[in-house]
Amino acid sequence: RSRMRLSHVANALATRIEETLRPVLGTVLASVSVDVESKRIGKNTDSIDRGDLIKIADNIVTALRLVVGQDMAEAAARKVRELA
């Protein structure tokens, strides 16, 4: 059962990114953001790796600044970069 629940974020790094974004964005938007940003760089949540974190963080700022504001978007991106 827990395997089904976590199937959308199978990669441990994707899970860490989602956990990092959750306090800023909430659970649903954090999960969607990881999925969307993975696809934006031509990957999926199973295939992203540490080398993708800077691109993902840069994209997060652009994608989220209108939703949560520039400061919160940059703070979220900074935390994602720190995972590298």
Side-chain angles (χ1 to χ4, degrees):
R1 187 172 248 196
S2 65
R3 201 170 175 202
M4 290 288 287
R5 196 185 71 176
L6 296 176
S7 64
H8 69 285
V9 182
N11 179 319
L13 183 59
T15 302
R16 294 283 312 278
I17 296 168
E18 183 177 331
E19 290 169 350
T20 297
L21 295 176
R22 200 175 293 147
V24 177
L25 305 177
T27 302
V28 174
L29 192 53
S31 176
V32 169
S33 294
V34 173
D35 187 51
V36 168
E37 297 310 331
S38 297
K39 288 177 182 169
R40 191 184 312 268
I41 62 168
K43 295 192 173 188
N44 60 48
T45 55
D46 292 327
S47 63
I48 59 172
D49 59 40
R50 287 188 174 325
D52 300 319
L53 287 171
I54 301 302
K55 281 189 261 184
I56 289 171
D58 290 345
N59 289 340
I60 283 172
V61 174
T62 303
L64 297 178
R65 69 175 164 221
L66 295 177
V67 178
V68 298
Q70 185 73 24
D71 291 343
M72 291 292 276
E74 286 179 6
R78 187 168 37 256
K79 289 182 179 194
V80 169
R81 284 187 196 100
E82 289 171 0
L83 297 174

